[in-house]
Amino acid sequence: MIASVRGPVVDVALDHVVIDCGGVGYRVLVTPGTVGSLRRGEEATLLTSMIVREDSMTLYGFTDSDARSLFTLLQTVTGVGPRLAMATLAVLEPDALRRALAESDVKALTSVPGIGKRVAERLVVELRDKVEAPAVGDGVASTTAIGGTVRDQVSEALLGLGFTAAPADRALTAVLAEAPDVDASTLLRKSLALLGKTA
């Protein structure tokens, strides 16, 4: 079982990074928020969860053990596999996910692509007693901290994908003008859509 990888980032894509560990490049699937925090050529450490299937071995990477624990917990629910668990963490930060589960917030859970009302209700029923909702003060602080770094994270992700600074900055400014409170994954997706039109 590969529990973590550390080394220079050799490639950054929309949903994964490649990290060189002693001459071997490990392809690790990550959330857009994690993509935004990594730069090609810089040293990185990711905690990983290795999913072995009959036809594949896939590594999922996280910047902290909290996100990895939630990734594992989500998969204990019938109908939730690793890709859907990863999509959930891409849309909902760990604190927001905990809050949604603890407060039975089905609407927040159905904002994740691939999670319908039935799966959301199953998540709430099976997991609400296994997570603790973050304190209100913690949630406010965490939202503020995330808001301050979203643009930087997505900017780094776009540069890592090979876009130059000026067009990337224009796309980010345009998206943020329309939706100032947007999360990292949505900002990345909308910025890429704009950059695709102007390319």
Side-chain angles (χ1 to χ4, degrees), residues 94-105:
D95 278 355
L97 176 56
R98 274 205 184 81
R99 192 174 296 110
L101 292 169
E103 296 173 1
S104 303
D105 188 349

Side-chain angles (χ1 to χ4, degrees), residues 5-199:
V5 292
R6 184 179 68 198
V9 178
V10 294
D11 190 31
V12 178
L14 279 174
D15 64 345
H16 70 272
V17 294
V18 177
I19 295 184
D20 183 343
C21 302
V24 178
Y26 287 91
R27 184 178 188 267
V28 186
L29 295 178
V30 293
T31 64
T34 302
V35 166
S37 69
L38 302 174
R39 295 282 305 259
R40 193 180 280 121
E42 291 183 359
E43 184 93 1
T45 300
L46 290 175
L47 302 178
T48 56
S49 178
M50 186 174 176
I51 306 294
V52 179
R53 296 278 188 260
E54 193 175 300
D55 58 348
S56 67
M57 287 193 295
T58 310
L59 280 176
Y60 293 85
F62 311 90
T63 52
D64 59 64
S65 58
D66 185 30
R68 183 171 63 178
S69 298
L70 282 169
F71 174 76
T72 303
L73 182 66
L74 286 166
Q75 291 175 76
T76 63
V77 176
T78 305
V80 180
R83 287 195 177 270
L84 190 52
M86 207 63 171
T88 304
L89 288 167
V91 173
L92 298 169
E93 298 282 334
D95 278 355
L97 176 56
R98 274 205 184 81
R99 192 174 296 110
L101 292 169
E103 296 173 1
S104 303
D105 188 349
V106 170
K107 187 178 177 185
L109 294 168
T110 54
S111 68
V112 177
I115 293 187
K117 191 177 179 191
R118 186 172 295 176
V119 173
E121 288 170 348
R122 198 181 303 141
L123 283 165
V124 166
V125 169
E126 294 187 29
L127 302 182
R128 69 179 158 209
D129 296 330
K130 297 179 181 178
V131 297
E132 201 172 297
V136 175
D138 293 347
V140 171
S142 121
T143 303
T144 307
I146 291 163
T149 61
V150 163
R151 185 185 178 113
D152 294 339
Q153 287 179 354
V154 177
S155 176
E156 287 186 12
L158 292 171
L159 294 175
L161 288 168
F163 292 101
T164 52
D169 193 53
R170 281 196 296 273
L172 289 168
T173 302
V175 175
L176 287 169
E178 287 181 14
D181 298 326
V182 73
D183 60 64
S185 59
T186 307
L187 180 56
L188 180 62
R189 192 171 61 249
K190 290 188 172 185
S191 298
L192 284 167
L194 280 179
L195 288 162
K197 287 176 190 171
T198 56

